[in-house]
Amino acid sequence: MECKNCELRQRQYYCANCLRNHLRDFRSKTHHFSSGRNEHVARASRAFKSIESGRLLRAEIARVDNNLDQLADGLAKVRRDCESKRDRLRTLRETLAQRRRTLNAARLLPPQSQTLTKESQELAVLSQTISRARSGLVQELVEVFHVVEVGGRPAVGGRPGARGEWTVGGLVLPVPGDVRRYPPDHINAVITHTIHFLGLLTFYLGIKLPFEVSWSCRRFGVGMPWIGAGRGSESWAKWTAKHPLHLTSNPSSTPSSPSSPSSSPSRTPLASLADSETPEQGPAHGQNQSFTTGLAMLLYNVCYLAHSQGVEIPLSQAGDALSNLWAVCCSGELGRRSHSTTPLLLPPTPPSFTLDFAQVLQATAASPARAARIRPGRSAHDAGISRLRSERIVEEEDGWDVVELGGEEGFG
């Protein structure tokens, strides 16, 4: 209904009669549709009742099929488990049968052969192969470093023979008593060759030495050797301080005496046995180190290496390092025992090695009584290494000679 004045649609108003007519029409339509709805519901209910039994049957069939699938999966899993357990049982039975056969065969063997197994035989063959390989390497090493004896004389016509001098790389390595007869550069060079030769020899043979060699690089980048005790519980293990294996020609470290050539301005001062250099490891090793103690450590290493290869070196021959190394290279037991392969050696040094480092040190120094008073782990220079030898220097045609006055026996 639109207003004639404002032309807006307004709410339509009905009279009471119109409302009653509309309500009557609405009720009649509702009754008509409700009766149709009830009829459709009744028909659907009757149809549902007719198919309910079939629907329940199909639902039951689906449930049974689902249960069958689950049972089939479980059965397959059980079969797989049974198969794996059957295979494991078969393997255990075969292993047990093999062990029984091995046990029966071992029972049939003689008692002396029970410990000789196939593995031990193969290990023995391998040890022999390694020993032969080591012998070949050692022979080549001797040829490379040219370790030979020169100047010797065999015994002829009842005349006793004379021992020559041993050289390495063409340089003579003197015994400790003759060190002062050679210049420091010669001693440093020949000891360096000997250290390299000994290091390669122990590497090829797989031997752990009591005293370890270290190198410092303080002089024009050239390494200077130092030596000290490694790990161990024996008496030599107390000598933990690093000692030099090189000499210096510093005049301030040379002891002066009326008969010493260092007092003459026309002579080149001899190399001091007490080196004033300090290794690059720092001041923990002290400012002064002892060349004599370091040389005794090197000789002790050579003696122990000889012992490990079946060569026994007496104390009187311990100072001839190259001769002892030559005996090691010619040993019939060369390369058979080692610290790295079977048969294993005991850690250095075993009780069978009876040579004491203190004895080697006393024999290396000119005065054994004074050398014995040097405390382990302390530099021998502080104990007066320059005064260890009561000596006089006499001039010969060939150079300098050291003459002992105390009468003690040493290597020289």
Side-chain angles (χ1 to χ4, degrees):
M1 176 178 179
E2 296 181 359
C3 179
K4 294 180 179 181
N5 294 324
C6 61
E7 296 182 356
L8 295 177
R9 186 172 295 277
Q10 301 295 331
R11 183 174 181 181
Q12 188 174 5
Y13 294 96
Y14 296 94
C15 64
N17 292 328
C18 291
L19 289 175
R20 282 194 294 270
N21 292 332
H22 282 301
L23 289 174
R24 185 178 61 250
D25 294 339
F26 181 75
R27 288 192 185 98
S28 62
K29 290 178 181 180
T30 302
H31 179 70
H32 175 70
F33 286 114
S34 63
S35 61
R37 184 202 61 187
N38 294 335
E39 184 179 357
H40 284 293
V41 170
R43 259 191 280 175
S45 298
R46 290 193 297 272
F48 183 75
K49 289 181 179 180
S50 63
I51 65 173
E52 184 176 5
S53 59
R55 183 178 66 83
L56 294 176
L57 181 60
R58 286 194 297 273
E60 184 65 21
I61 292 173
R63 185 181 65 80
V64 172
D65 289 340
N66 190 14
N67 293 337
L68 289 176
D69 293 339
Q70 293 179 358
L71 291 175
D73 293 341
L75 181 60
K77 183 178 179 181
V78 171
R79 287 178 177 175
R80 288 193 298 269
D81 293 342
C82 292
E83 189 66 24
S84 62
K85 292 180 179 179
R86 194 177 293 111
D87 294 340
R88 183 172 178 272
L89 182 60
R90 187 183 304 110
T91 304
L92 292 176
R93 287 177 177 175
E94 292 176 357
T95 305
L96 182 60
Q98 180 66 28
R99 290 181 178 179
R100 287 177 177 174
R101 289 193 295 268
T102 304
L103 183 59
N104 293 332
R107 289 175 179 174
L108 295 176
L109 290 176
Q112 298 82 359
S113 310
Q114 289 184 0
T115 57
L116 185 59
T117 62
K118 181 180 179 180
E119 289 77 8
S120 61
Q121 294 177 355
E122 293 177 354
L123 185 59
V125 173
L126 181 60
S127 299
Q128 295 177 359
T129 304
I130 294 176
S131 176
R132 289 193 296 269
R134 286 171 174 167
S135 300
L137 291 174
V138 170
Q139 292 177 4
E140 295 180 0
L141 184 65
V142 172
E143 294 178 0
V144 169
F145 280 84
H146 194 58
V147 179
V148 294
E149 183 182 12
V150 296
R153 183 180 70 250
V156 178
R159 182 182 179 184
R163 298 180 60 183
E165 294 179 326
W166 285 89
T167 63
V168 54
L171 299 176
V172 176
L173 177 62
V175 295
D178 294 337
V179 169
R180 289 179 179 266
R181 299 183 62 183
Y182 295 84
D185 292 339
H186 177 96
I187 297 299
N188 293 339
V190 71
I191 288 182
T192 301
H193 289 338
T194 305
I195 292 173
H196 287 307
F197 178 79
L198 181 61
L200 290 175
L201 184 59
T202 54
F203 174 74
Y204 291 154
L205 298 179
I207 300 298
K208 174 69 174 178
L209 296 178
F211 295 98
E212 300 176 354
V213 177
S214 59
W215 298 83
S216 64
C217 300
R218 293 178 58 89
R219 182 177 296 176
F220 306 109
V222 179
M224 306 301 290
W226 298 76
I227 189 170
R231 294 182 179 180
S233 58
E234 294 80 357
S235 59
W236 52 263
K238 298 182 295 185
W239 299 79
T240 56
K242 293 291 184 180
H243 295 269
L245 282 175
H246 56 274
L247 295 173
T248 58
S249 56
N250 187 4
S252 61
S253 62
T254 305
S256 59
S257 61
S259 60
S260 174
S262 60
S263 60
S264 175
S266 62
R267 295 289 185 182
T268 301
L270 289 176
S272 173
L273 290 180
D275 193 2
S276 61
E277 284 193 15
T278 304
E280 286 193 352
Q281 284 81 354
H285 299 291
Q287 294 294 325
N288 300 316
Q289 304 293 337
S290 166
F291 171 78
T292 302
T293 305
L295 183 60
M297 293 178 178
L298 181 63
L299 299 178
Y300 190 78
N301 279 350
V302 174
C303 294
Y304 172 70
L305 176 62
H307 171 76
S308 67
Q309 304 304 311
V311 179
E312 298 299 333
I313 304 297
L315 180 62
S316 60
Q317 299 179 8
D320 203 349
L322 290 182
S323 176
N324 298 334
L325 289 175
W326 176 266
V328 172
C329 298
C330 298
S331 172
E333 301 291 330
L334 183 67
R336 294 186 180 181
R337 294 181 298 172
S338 169
H339 289 114
S340 57
T341 57
T342 303
L344 292 174
L345 283 173
L346 295 176
T349 49
S352 58
F353 184 62
T354 58
L355 185 62
D356 189 10
F357 173 69
Q359 298 175 350
V360 178
L361 178 60
Q362 291 175 4
T364 305
S367 178
R370 183 176 296 273
R373 291 196 294 269
I374 301 176
R375 294 192 301 270
R378 179 175 177 266
S379 174
H381 180 273
D382 299 333
I385 187 61
S386 61
R387 296 186 299 273
L388 284 177
R389 311 188 91 190
S390 174
E391 60 186 10
R392 59 183 176 88
I393 308 297
V394 295
E395 185 176 359
E396 296 181 350
E397 294 180 358
D398 297 334
W400 298 96
D401 191 11
V402 179
V403 180
E404 303 292 336
L405 294 180
E408 295 92 358
E409 291 185 0
F411 294 136

